[in-house]
PDB file of all heavy atoms in Angstrom:
ATOM      1  N   ALA A   1     -14.479   2.641   4.103  1.00  0.00           N
ATOM      2  CA  ALA A   1     -13.588   1.852   4.868  1.00  0.00           C
ATOM      3  C   ALA A   1     -13.371   0.550   4.143  1.00  0.00           C
ATOM      4  O   ALA A   1     -12.265   0.070   4.016  1.00  0.00           O
ATOM      5  CB  ALA A   1     -14.138   1.556   6.301  1.00  0.00           C
ATOM      6  N   ARG A   2     -14.418  -0.068   3.557  1.00  0.00           N
ATOM      7  CA  ARG A   2     -14.264  -1.237   2.857  1.00  0.00           C
ATOM      8  C   ARG A   2     -13.435  -1.103   1.647  1.00  0.00           C
ATOM      9  O   ARG A   2     -12.550  -1.909   1.295  1.00  0.00           O
ATOM     10  CB  ARG A   2     -15.700  -1.725   2.455  1.00  0.00           C
ATOM     11  CG  ARG A   2     -15.667  -3.178   1.824  1.00  0.00           C
ATOM     12  CD  ARG A   2     -17.179  -3.752   1.435  1.00  0.00           C
ATOM     13  NE  ARG A   2     -18.081  -2.787   1.021  1.00  0.00           N
ATOM     14  CZ  ARG A   2     -18.067  -2.308  -0.191  1.00  0.00           C
ATOM     15  NH1 ARG A   2     -17.318  -2.794  -1.153  1.00  0.00           N
ATOM     16  NH2 ARG A   2     -19.107  -1.474  -0.477  1.00  0.00           N
ATOM     17  N   THR A   3     -13.646  -0.041   0.889  1.00  0.00           N
ATOM     18  CA  THR A   3     -12.867   0.214  -0.306  1.00  0.00           C
ATOM     19  C   THR A   3     -11.438   0.378   0.045  1.00  0.00           C
ATOM     20  O   THR A   3     -10.508  -0.043  -0.654  1.00  0.00           O
ATOM     21  CB  THR A   3     -13.448   1.488  -0.989  1.00  0.00           C
ATOM     22  OG1 THR A   3     -14.769   1.256  -1.474  1.00  0.00           O
ATOM     23  CG2 THR A   3     -12.620   1.816  -2.276  1.00  0.00           C
ATOM     24  N   ALA A   4     -11.178   1.126   1.106  1.00  0.00           N
ATOM     25  CA  ALA A   4      -9.819   1.322   1.532  1.00  0.00           C
ATOM     26  C   ALA A   4      -9.104   0.040   1.950  1.00  0.00           C
ATOM     27  O   ALA A   4      -7.932  -0.244   1.543  1.00  0.00           O
ATOM     28  CB  ALA A   4      -9.665   2.314   2.675  1.00  0.00           C
ATOM     29  N   ARG A   5      -9.775  -0.899   2.532  1.00  0.00           N
ATOM     30  CA  ARG A   5      -9.178  -2.223   2.929  1.00  0.00           C
ATOM     31  C   ARG A   5      -8.980  -2.994   1.615  1.00  0.00           C
ATOM     32  O   ARG A   5      -7.960  -3.701   1.601  1.00  0.00           O
ATOM     33  CB  ARG A   5     -10.183  -2.942   3.819  1.00  0.00           C
ATOM     34  CG  ARG A   5     -10.121  -2.581   5.328  1.00  0.00           C
ATOM     35  CD  ARG A   5     -10.795  -3.512   6.223  1.00  0.00           C
ATOM     36  NE  ARG A   5     -12.268  -3.716   5.845  1.00  0.00           N
ATOM     37  CZ  ARG A   5     -13.246  -2.959   6.266  1.00  0.00           C
ATOM     38  NH1 ARG A   5     -12.985  -1.963   7.011  1.00  0.00           N
ATOM     39  NH2 ARG A   5     -14.472  -3.151   5.820  1.00  0.00           N
ATOM     40  N   GLU A   6     -10.023  -3.020   0.729  1.00  0.00           N
ATOM     41  CA  GLU A   6      -9.811  -3.748  -0.488  1.00  0.00           C
ATOM     42  C   GLU A   6      -8.627  -3.129  -1.242  1.00  0.00           C
ATOM     43  O   GLU A   6      -7.844  -3.969  -1.882  1.00  0.00           O
ATOM     44  CB  GLU A   6     -11.096  -3.693  -1.248  1.00  0.00           C
ATOM     45  CG  GLU A   6     -12.204  -4.544  -0.719  1.00  0.00           C
ATOM     46  CD  GLU A   6     -13.590  -4.201  -1.485  1.00  0.00           C
ATOM     47  OE1 GLU A   6     -13.606  -3.445  -2.315  1.00  0.00           O
ATOM     48  OE2 GLU A   6     -14.488  -4.965  -1.105  1.00  0.00           O
ATOM     49  N   SER A   7      -8.450  -1.810  -1.294  1.00  0.00           N
ATOM     50  CA  SER A   7      -7.361  -1.288  -2.081  1.00  0.00           C
ATOM     51  C   SER A   7      -5.932  -1.631  -1.374  1.00  0.00           C
ATOM     52  O   SER A   7      -5.085  -1.997  -2.172  1.00  0.00           O
ATOM     53  CB  SER A   7      -7.494   0.242  -2.046  1.00  0.00           C
ATOM     54  OG  SER A   7      -8.580   0.626  -2.884  1.00  0.00           O
ATOM     55  N   LEU A   8      -6.027  -1.627  -0.180  1.00  0.00           N
ATOM     56  CA  LEU A   8      -4.736  -2.077   0.545  1.00  0.00           C
ATOM     57  C   LEU A   8      -4.404  -3.526   0.268  1.00  0.00           C
ATOM     58  O   LEU A   8      -3.251  -3.760   0.158  1.00  0.00           O
ATOM     59  CB  LEU A   8      -4.861  -1.717   2.099  1.00  0.00           C
ATOM     60  CG  LEU A   8      -3.597  -2.112   2.819  1.00  0.00           C
ATOM     61  CD1 LEU A   8      -2.373  -1.223   2.380  1.00  0.00           C
ATOM     62  CD2 LEU A   8      -3.838  -1.707   4.304  1.00  0.00           C
ATOM     63  N   GLU A   9      -5.429  -4.295   0.240  1.00  0.00           N
ATOM     64  CA  GLU A   9      -5.183  -5.720  -0.019  1.00  0.00           C
ATOM     65  C   GLU A   9      -4.629  -5.913  -1.422  1.00  0.00           C
ATOM     66  O   GLU A   9      -3.692  -6.700  -1.593  1.00  0.00           O
ATOM     67  CB  GLU A   9      -6.468  -6.573   0.219  1.00  0.00           C
ATOM     68  CG  GLU A   9      -6.261  -8.040   0.093  1.00  0.00           C
ATOM     69  CD  GLU A   9      -5.241  -8.670   1.014  1.00  0.00           C
ATOM     70  OE1 GLU A   9      -5.075  -8.154   2.170  1.00  0.00           O
ATOM     71  OE2 GLU A   9      -4.600  -9.661   0.636  1.00  0.00           O
ATOM     72  N   LEU A  10      -5.131  -5.220  -2.365  1.00  0.00           N
ATOM     73  CA  LEU A  10      -4.705  -5.224  -3.750  1.00  0.00           C
ATOM     74  C   LEU A  10      -3.254  -4.749  -3.837  1.00  0.00           C
ATOM     75  O   LEU A  10      -2.417  -5.454  -4.461  1.00  0.00           O
ATOM     76  CB  LEU A  10      -5.628  -4.481  -4.669  1.00  0.00           C
ATOM     77  CG  LEU A  10      -5.142  -4.494  -6.084  1.00  0.00           C
ATOM     78  CD1 LEU A  10      -5.230  -5.836  -6.685  1.00  0.00           C
ATOM     79  CD2 LEU A  10      -6.067  -3.458  -6.836  1.00  0.00           C
ATOM     80  N   VAL A  11      -3.011  -3.692  -3.150  1.00  0.00           N
ATOM     81  CA  VAL A  11      -1.501  -3.156  -3.170  1.00  0.00           C
ATOM     82  C   VAL A  11      -0.626  -4.160  -2.475  1.00  0.00           C
ATOM     83  O   VAL A  11       0.479  -4.363  -2.948  1.00  0.00           O
ATOM     84  CB  VAL A  11      -1.450  -1.864  -2.457  1.00  0.00           C
ATOM     85  CG1 VAL A  11      -0.059  -1.409  -2.288  1.00  0.00           C
ATOM     86  CG2 VAL A  11      -2.198  -0.715  -3.214  1.00  0.00           C
ATOM     87  N   PHE A  12      -1.113  -4.841  -1.442  1.00  0.00           N
ATOM     88  CA  PHE A  12      -0.251  -5.816  -0.685  1.00  0.00           C
ATOM     89  C   PHE A  12       0.026  -6.962  -1.645  1.00  0.00           C
ATOM     90  O   PHE A  12       1.146  -7.529  -1.620  1.00  0.00           O
ATOM     91  CB  PHE A  12      -0.934  -6.233   0.497  1.00  0.00           C
ATOM     92  CG  PHE A  12      -0.155  -7.291   1.342  1.00  0.00           C
ATOM     93  CD1 PHE A  12       1.046  -6.873   1.953  1.00  0.00           C
ATOM     94  CD2 PHE A  12      -0.605  -8.493   1.507  1.00  0.00           C
ATOM     95  CE1 PHE A  12       1.872  -7.817   2.665  1.00  0.00           C
ATOM     96  CE2 PHE A  12       0.062  -9.489   2.367  1.00  0.00           C
ATOM     97  CZ  PHE A  12       1.331  -9.153   2.910  1.00  0.00           C
ATOM     98  N   GLN A  13      -0.993  -7.442  -2.355  1.00  0.00           N
ATOM     99  CA  GLN A  13      -0.795  -8.572  -3.250  1.00  0.00           C
ATOM    100  C   GLN A  13       0.216  -8.220  -4.379  1.00  0.00           C
ATOM    101  O   GLN A  13       1.020  -9.069  -4.734  1.00  0.00           O
ATOM    102  CB  GLN A  13      -2.141  -9.004  -3.867  1.00  0.00           C
ATOM    103  CG  GLN A  13      -3.148  -9.678  -2.958  1.00  0.00           C
ATOM    104  CD  GLN A  13      -4.386  -9.982  -3.412  1.00  0.00           C
ATOM    105  OE1 GLN A  13      -4.632  -9.895  -4.661  1.00  0.00           O
ATOM    106  NE2 GLN A  13      -5.372 -10.413  -2.634  1.00  0.00           N
ATOM    107  N   MET A  14       0.052  -7.086  -4.892  1.00  0.00           N
ATOM    108  CA  MET A  14       1.067  -6.634  -5.918  1.00  0.00           C
ATOM    109  C   MET A  14       2.432  -6.448  -5.365  1.00  0.00           C
ATOM    110  O   MET A  14       3.355  -6.854  -6.003  1.00  0.00           O
ATOM    111  CB  MET A  14       0.613  -5.192  -6.411  1.00  0.00           C
ATOM    112  CG  MET A  14      -0.700  -5.218  -7.299  1.00  0.00           C
ATOM    113  SD  MET A  14      -1.392  -3.672  -7.690  1.00  0.00           S
ATOM    114  CE  MET A  14      -0.013  -2.843  -8.464  1.00  0.00           C
ATOM    115  N   SER A  15       2.522  -6.015  -4.163  1.00  0.00           N
ATOM    116  CA  SER A  15       3.814  -5.916  -3.454  1.00  0.00           C
ATOM    117  C   SER A  15       4.455  -7.308  -3.234  1.00  0.00           C
ATOM    118  O   SER A  15       5.593  -7.426  -3.506  1.00  0.00           O
ATOM    119  CB  SER A  15       3.678  -5.150  -2.106  1.00  0.00           C
ATOM    120  OG  SER A  15       4.789  -5.290  -1.363  1.00  0.00           O
ATOM    121  N   ASN A  16       3.665  -8.250  -2.916  1.00  0.00           N
ATOM    122  CA  ASN A  16       4.200  -9.643  -2.751  1.00  0.00           C
ATOM    123  C   ASN A  16       4.643 -10.243  -4.123  1.00  0.00           C
ATOM    124  O   ASN A  16       5.611 -10.868  -4.246  1.00  0.00           O
ATOM    125  CB  ASN A  16       3.073 -10.578  -2.226  1.00  0.00           C
ATOM    126  CG  ASN A  16       2.938 -10.379  -0.698  1.00  0.00           C
ATOM    127  OD1 ASN A  16       3.887  -9.775  -0.053  1.00  0.00           O
ATOM    128  ND2 ASN A  16       1.787 -10.632  -0.220  1.00  0.00           N
ATOM    129  N   ILE A  17       3.852  -9.980  -5.197  1.00  0.00           N
ATOM    130  CA  ILE A  17       4.142 -10.456  -6.564  1.00  0.00           C
ATOM    131  C   ILE A  17       5.583  -9.796  -6.921  1.00  0.00           C
ATOM    132  O   ILE A  17       6.400 -10.436  -7.558  1.00  0.00           O
ATOM    133  CB  ILE A  17       3.102 -10.117  -7.540  1.00  0.00           C
ATOM    134  CG1 ILE A  17       1.921 -10.986  -7.272  1.00  0.00           C
ATOM    135  CG2 ILE A  17       3.605 -10.270  -8.962  1.00  0.00           C
ATOM    136  CD1 ILE A  17       0.620 -10.414  -8.042  1.00  0.00           C
ATOM    137  N   LEU A  18       5.708  -8.595  -6.638  1.00  0.00           N
ATOM    138  CA  LEU A  18       6.942  -7.829  -6.961  1.00  0.00           C
ATOM    139  C   LEU A  18       8.107  -8.180  -5.945  1.00  0.00           C
ATOM    140  O   LEU A  18       9.197  -7.631  -6.166  1.00  0.00           O
ATOM    141  CB  LEU A  18       6.671  -6.398  -7.072  1.00  0.00           C
ATOM    142  CG  LEU A  18       5.775  -5.909  -8.319  1.00  0.00           C
ATOM    143  CD1 LEU A  18       5.351  -4.509  -8.026  1.00  0.00           C
ATOM    144  CD2 LEU A  18       6.405  -6.296  -9.591  1.00  0.00           C
ATOM    145  N   ASP A  19       7.789  -8.952  -5.019  1.00  0.00           N
ATOM    146  CA  ASP A  19       8.773  -9.240  -3.922  1.00  0.00           C
ATOM    147  C   ASP A  19       9.369  -8.082  -3.244  1.00  0.00           C
ATOM    148  O   ASP A  19      10.582  -8.068  -3.190  1.00  0.00           O
ATOM    149  CB  ASP A  19       9.749 -10.224  -4.522  1.00  0.00           C
ATOM    150  CG  ASP A  19      10.514 -11.009  -3.455  1.00  0.00           C
ATOM    151  OD1 ASP A  19      10.057 -11.163  -2.334  1.00  0.00           O
ATOM    152  OD2 ASP A  19      11.678 -11.392  -3.625  1.00  0.00           O
ATOM    153  N   THR A  20       8.564  -7.027  -2.912  1.00  0.00           N
ATOM    154  CA  THR A  20       9.145  -5.867  -2.260  1.00  0.00           C
ATOM    155  C   THR A  20       9.572  -6.161  -0.872  1.00  0.00           C
ATOM    156  O   THR A  20      10.346  -5.360  -0.255  1.00  0.00           O
ATOM    157  CB  THR A  20       8.106  -4.749  -2.301  1.00  0.00           C
ATOM    158  OG1 THR A  20       7.088  -5.127  -1.506  1.00  0.00           O
ATOM    159  CG2 THR A  20       7.782  -4.376  -3.770  1.00  0.00           C
ATOM    160  N   GLY A  21       8.849  -7.028  -0.179  1.00  0.00           N
ATOM    161  CA  GLY A  21       9.185  -7.264   1.297  1.00  0.00           C
ATOM    162  C   GLY A  21       8.435  -6.350   2.217  1.00  0.00           C
ATOM    163  O   GLY A  21       8.685  -6.318   3.305  1.00  0.00           O
ATOM    164  N   LEU A  22       7.668  -5.451   1.643  1.00  0.00           N
ATOM    165  CA  LEU A  22       6.780  -4.476   2.408  1.00  0.00           C
ATOM    166  C   LEU A  22       5.649  -5.050   3.051  1.00  0.00           C
ATOM    167  O   LEU A  22       4.942  -5.851   2.402  1.00  0.00           O
ATOM    168  CB  LEU A  22       6.478  -3.219   1.603  1.00  0.00           C
ATOM    169  CG  LEU A  22       7.566  -2.472   1.008  1.00  0.00           C
ATOM    170  CD1 LEU A  22       7.117  -1.346  -0.002  1.00  0.00           C
ATOM    171  CD2 LEU A  22       8.517  -1.901   2.135  1.00  0.00           C
ATOM    172  N   ASP A  23       5.366  -4.811   4.372  1.00  0.00           N
ATOM    173  CA  ASP A  23       4.167  -5.464   4.969  1.00  0.00           C
ATOM    174  C   ASP A  23       2.992  -4.372   4.840  1.00  0.00           C
ATOM    175  O   ASP A  23       3.161  -3.297   4.287  1.00  0.00           O
ATOM    176  CB  ASP A  23       4.471  -5.685   6.420  1.00  0.00           C
ATOM    177  CG  ASP A  23       4.796  -4.377   7.220  1.00  0.00           C
ATOM    178  OD1 ASP A  23       4.552  -3.289   6.770  1.00  0.00           O
ATOM    179  OD2 ASP A  23       5.457  -4.584   8.284  1.00  0.00           O
ATOM    180  N   ARG A  24       1.811  -4.748   5.280  1.00  0.00           N
ATOM    181  CA  ARG A  24       0.674  -4.007   4.976  1.00  0.00           C
ATOM    182  C   ARG A  24       0.730  -2.640   5.772  1.00  0.00           C
ATOM    183  O   ARG A  24       0.245  -1.653   5.279  1.00  0.00           O
ATOM    184  CB  ARG A  24      -0.615  -4.763   5.570  1.00  0.00           C
ATOM    185  CG  ARG A  24      -1.131  -5.842   4.612  1.00  0.00           C
ATOM    186  CD  ARG A  24      -2.352  -6.536   5.218  1.00  0.00           C
ATOM    187  NE  ARG A  24      -2.898  -7.536   4.354  1.00  0.00           N
ATOM    188  CZ  ARG A  24      -2.469  -8.822   4.345  1.00  0.00           C
ATOM    189  NH1 ARG A  24      -1.620  -9.192   5.103  1.00  0.00           N
ATOM    190  NH2 ARG A  24      -2.974  -9.726   3.487  1.00  0.00           N
ATOM    191  N   HIS A  25       1.330  -2.692   6.952  1.00  0.00           N
ATOM    192  CA  HIS A  25       1.459  -1.359   7.651  1.00  0.00           C
ATOM    193  C   HIS A  25       2.331  -0.416   6.988  1.00  0.00           C
ATOM    194  O   HIS A  25       1.897   0.744   6.780  1.00  0.00           O
ATOM    195  CB  HIS A  25       1.913  -1.705   9.040  1.00  0.00           C
ATOM    196  CG  HIS A  25       2.185  -0.396   9.840  1.00  0.00           C
ATOM    197  ND1 HIS A  25       1.161   0.296  10.358  1.00  0.00           N
ATOM    198  CD2 HIS A  25       3.329   0.265  10.162  1.00  0.00           C
ATOM    199  CE1 HIS A  25       1.611   1.481  10.925  1.00  0.00           C
ATOM    200  NE2 HIS A  25       2.938   1.370  10.899  1.00  0.00           N
ATOM    201  N   THR A  26       3.462  -0.865   6.526  1.00  0.00           N
ATOM    202  CA  THR A  26       4.344  -0.019   5.764  1.00  0.00           C
ATOM    203  C   THR A  26       3.715   0.471   4.520  1.00  0.00           C
ATOM    204  O   THR A  26       3.787   1.745   4.176  1.00  0.00           O
ATOM    205  CB  THR A  26       5.623  -0.751   5.454  1.00  0.00           C
ATOM    206  OG1 THR A  26       6.232  -1.224   6.623  1.00  0.00           O
ATOM    207  CG2 THR A  26       6.634   0.163   4.639  1.00  0.00           C
ATOM    208  N   LEU A  27       2.959  -0.358   3.722  1.00  0.00           N
ATOM    209  CA  LEU A  27       2.343   0.112   2.543  1.00  0.00           C
ATOM    210  C   LEU A  27       1.190   1.111   2.863  1.00  0.00           C
ATOM    211  O   LEU A  27       1.127   2.109   2.116  1.00  0.00           O
ATOM    212  CB  LEU A  27       1.777  -1.101   1.904  1.00  0.00           C
ATOM    213  CG  LEU A  27       2.769  -2.113   1.177  1.00  0.00           C
ATOM    214  CD1 LEU A  27       2.046  -3.350   0.844  1.00  0.00           C
ATOM    215  CD2 LEU A  27       3.371  -1.461  -0.010  1.00  0.00           C
ATOM    216  N   SER A  28       0.636   0.891   3.988  1.00  0.00           N
ATOM    217  CA  SER A  28      -0.491   1.731   4.384  1.00  0.00           C
ATOM    218  C   SER A  28       0.067   3.158   4.688  1.00  0.00           C
ATOM    219  O   SER A  28      -0.481   4.157   4.291  1.00  0.00           O
ATOM    220  CB  SER A  28      -1.184   1.307   5.695  1.00  0.00           C
ATOM    221  OG  SER A  28      -2.230   2.155   6.013  1.00  0.00           O
ATOM    222  N   VAL A  29       1.194   3.167   5.402  1.00  0.00           N
ATOM    223  CA  VAL A  29       1.869   4.434   5.623  1.00  0.00           C
ATOM    224  C   VAL A  29       2.400   5.128   4.408  1.00  0.00           C
ATOM    225  O   VAL A  29       2.126   6.425   4.165  1.00  0.00           O
ATOM    226  CB  VAL A  29       3.050   4.158   6.733  1.00  0.00           C
ATOM    227  CG1 VAL A  29       3.880   5.483   6.722  1.00  0.00           C
ATOM    228  CG2 VAL A  29       2.611   3.792   8.019  1.00  0.00           C
ATOM    229  N   LEU A  30       2.940   4.456   3.551  1.00  0.00           N
ATOM    230  CA  LEU A  30       3.376   4.907   2.239  1.00  0.00           C
ATOM    231  C   LEU A  30       2.219   5.509   1.437  1.00  0.00           C
ATOM    232  O   LEU A  30       2.326   6.567   0.878  1.00  0.00           O
ATOM    233  CB  LEU A  30       4.200   3.941   1.458  1.00  0.00           C
ATOM    234  CG  LEU A  30       5.530   3.538   2.093  1.00  0.00           C
ATOM    235  CD1 LEU A  30       6.041   2.356   1.332  1.00  0.00           C
ATOM    236  CD2 LEU A  30       6.509   4.649   2.117  1.00  0.00           C
ATOM    237  N   ILE A  31       1.065   4.751   1.351  1.00  0.00           N
ATOM    238  CA  ILE A  31      -0.051   5.247   0.636  1.00  0.00           C
ATOM    239  C   ILE A  31      -0.602   6.608   1.299  1.00  0.00           C
ATOM    240  O   ILE A  31      -0.866   7.559   0.551  1.00  0.00           O
ATOM    241  CB  ILE A  31      -1.138   4.136   0.602  1.00  0.00           C
ATOM    242  CG1 ILE A  31      -0.756   3.055  -0.244  1.00  0.00           C
ATOM    243  CG2 ILE A  31      -2.468   4.791   0.110  1.00  0.00           C
ATOM    244  CD1 ILE A  31      -1.555   1.779  -0.200  1.00  0.00           C
ATOM    245  N   ALA A  32      -0.656   6.582   2.659  1.00  0.00           N
ATOM    246  CA  ALA A  32      -1.085   7.878   3.359  1.00  0.00           C
ATOM    247  C   ALA A  32      -0.234   9.079   3.057  1.00  0.00           C
ATOM    248  O   ALA A  32      -0.641  10.147   2.757  1.00  0.00           O
ATOM    249  CB  ALA A  32      -1.226   7.578   4.801  1.00  0.00           C
ATOM    250  N   LEU A  33       1.131   8.830   2.960  1.00  0.00           N
ATOM    251  CA  LEU A  33       2.062   9.862   2.652  1.00  0.00           C
ATOM    252  C   LEU A  33       1.801  10.332   1.177  1.00  0.00           C
ATOM    253  O   LEU A  33       1.949  11.605   0.884  1.00  0.00           O
ATOM    254  CB  LEU A  33       3.520   9.445   2.933  1.00  0.00           C
ATOM    255  CG  LEU A  33       3.896   9.252   4.331  1.00  0.00           C
ATOM    256  CD1 LEU A  33       5.278   8.512   4.385  1.00  0.00           C
ATOM    257  CD2 LEU A  33       3.827  10.497   5.016  1.00  0.00           C
ATOM    258  N   CYS A  34       1.604   9.454   0.246  1.00  0.00           N
ATOM    259  CA  CYS A  34       1.218   9.839  -1.135  1.00  0.00           C
ATOM    260  C   CYS A  34      -0.001  10.752  -0.996  1.00  0.00           C
ATOM    261  O   CYS A  34      -0.097  11.739  -1.788  1.00  0.00           O
ATOM    262  CB  CYS A  34       1.208   8.679  -1.941  1.00  0.00           C
ATOM    263  SG  CYS A  34       2.828   7.961  -2.390  1.00  0.00           S
ATOM    264  N   ASP A  35      -0.974  10.271  -0.325  1.00  0.00           N
ATOM    265  CA  ASP A  35      -2.355  10.946  -0.325  1.00  0.00           C
ATOM    266  C   ASP A  35      -2.131  12.282   0.315  1.00  0.00           C
ATOM    267  O   ASP A  35      -2.920  13.288  -0.139  1.00  0.00           O
ATOM    268  CB  ASP A  35      -3.246  10.148   0.587  1.00  0.00           C
ATOM    269  CG  ASP A  35      -3.890   8.932  -0.053  1.00  0.00           C
ATOM    270  OD1 ASP A  35      -3.709   8.821  -1.243  1.00  0.00           O
ATOM    271  OD2 ASP A  35      -4.458   8.220   0.618  1.00  0.00           O
ATOM    272  N   GLN A  36      -1.102  12.507   1.157  1.00  0.00           N
ATOM    273  CA  GLN A  36      -0.740  13.875   1.772  1.00  0.00           C
ATOM    274  C   GLN A  36       0.007  14.716   0.751  1.00  0.00           C
ATOM    275  O   GLN A  36       0.281  15.926   1.059  1.00  0.00           O
ATOM    276  CB  GLN A  36      -0.086  13.738   2.997  1.00  0.00           C
ATOM    277  CG  GLN A  36      -0.962  13.105   4.081  1.00  0.00           C
ATOM    278  CD  GLN A  36      -2.076  13.957   4.498  1.00  0.00           C
ATOM    279  OE1 GLN A  36      -2.009  15.192   4.567  1.00  0.00           O
ATOM    280  NE2 GLN A  36      -3.277  13.357   4.615  1.00  0.00           N
ATOM    281  N   GLY A  37       0.317  14.138  -0.432  1.00  0.00           N
ATOM    282  CA  GLY A  37       1.097  14.932  -1.397  1.00  0.00           C
ATOM    283  C   GLY A  37       2.606  14.679  -1.482  1.00  0.00           C
ATOM    284  O   GLY A  37       3.241  15.371  -2.429  1.00  0.00           O
ATOM    285  N   LEU A  38       3.097  13.743  -0.757  1.00  0.00           N
ATOM    286  CA  LEU A  38       4.534  13.452  -1.005  1.00  0.00           C
ATOM    287  C   LEU A  38       4.762  12.803  -2.249  1.00  0.00           C
ATOM    288  O   LEU A  38       3.997  12.008  -2.791  1.00  0.00           O
ATOM    289  CB  LEU A  38       5.060  12.681   0.235  1.00  0.00           C
ATOM    290  CG  LEU A  38       5.617  13.418   1.442  1.00  0.00           C
ATOM    291  CD1 LEU A  38       4.517  14.052   2.202  1.00  0.00           C
ATOM    292  CD2 LEU A  38       6.372  12.450   2.214  1.00  0.00           C
ATOM    293  N   ASN A  39       5.929  12.960  -2.853  1.00  0.00           N
ATOM    294  CA  ASN A  39       6.319  12.469  -4.083  1.00  0.00           C
ATOM    295  C   ASN A  39       6.605  11.024  -4.062  1.00  0.00           C
ATOM    296  O   ASN A  39       7.484  10.565  -3.241  1.00  0.00           O
ATOM    297  CB  ASN A  39       7.563  13.158  -4.540  1.00  0.00           C
ATOM    298  CG  ASN A  39       8.041  12.674  -5.934  1.00  0.00           C
ATOM    299  OD1 ASN A  39       7.875  11.615  -6.298  1.00  0.00           O
ATOM    300  ND2 ASN A  39       8.674  13.546  -6.751  1.00  0.00           N
ATOM    301  N   PRO A  40       5.826  10.114  -4.664  1.00  0.00           N
ATOM    302  CA  PRO A  40       5.994   8.650  -4.641  1.00  0.00           C
ATOM    303  C   PRO A  40       7.490   8.266  -4.951  1.00  0.00           C
ATOM    304  O   PRO A  40       7.953   7.261  -4.390  1.00  0.00           O
ATOM    305  CB  PRO A  40       5.069   8.125  -5.531  1.00  0.00           C
ATOM    306  CG  PRO A  40       4.025   9.111  -5.895  1.00  0.00           C
ATOM    307  CD  PRO A  40       4.789  10.398  -5.615  1.00  0.00           C
ATOM    308  N   GLU A  41       8.104   8.898  -5.966  1.00  0.00           N
ATOM    309  CA  GLU A  41       9.455   8.485  -6.298  1.00  0.00           C
ATOM    310  C   GLU A  41      10.437   8.801  -5.102  1.00  0.00           C
ATOM    311  O   GLU A  41      11.376   8.081  -4.866  1.00  0.00           O
ATOM    312  CB  GLU A  41       9.802   9.285  -7.613  1.00  0.00           C
ATOM    313  CG  GLU A  41       9.087   8.660  -8.913  1.00  0.00           C
ATOM    314  CD  GLU A  41       9.478   9.348 -10.123  1.00  0.00           C
ATOM    315  OE1 GLU A  41      10.571  10.021 -10.147  1.00  0.00           O
ATOM    316  OE2 GLU A  41       8.773   9.306 -11.123  1.00  0.00           O
ATOM    317  N   ALA A  42      10.240   9.975  -4.494  1.00  0.00           N
ATOM    318  CA  ALA A  42      11.004  10.268  -3.389  1.00  0.00           C
ATOM    319  C   ALA A  42      10.826   9.280  -2.166  1.00  0.00           C
ATOM    320  O   ALA A  42      11.826   8.876  -1.588  1.00  0.00           O
ATOM    321  CB  ALA A  42      10.691  11.691  -2.867  1.00  0.00           C
TER     322      ALA A  42
END
């Protein structure tokens, strides 16, 4: 759980640097979908 929180925080920081406008919840959902095998580019 700690590793997952730290990873999400890192992804959120990267998202902010890239100015994506994605919030933590949206990033979390996108990561979960990738973990389920969905194509990240799609």
Side-chain angles (χ1 to χ4, degrees):
R2 182 175 43 78
T3 300
R5 280 191 305 274
E6 290 172 356
S7 295
L8 180 58
E9 184 60 29
L10 178 61
V11 169
F12 182 66
Q13 289 175 8
M14 291 170 54
S15 174
N16 286 337
I17 291 168
L18 296 170
D19 197 26
T20 67
L22 298 173
D23 60 21
R24 282 182 181 86
H25 176 74
T26 303
L27 290 167
S28 177
V29 169
L30 292 171
I31 290 168
L33 290 171
C34 289
D35 286 344
Q36 294 295 316
L38 269 69
N39 182 328
E41 290 180 18

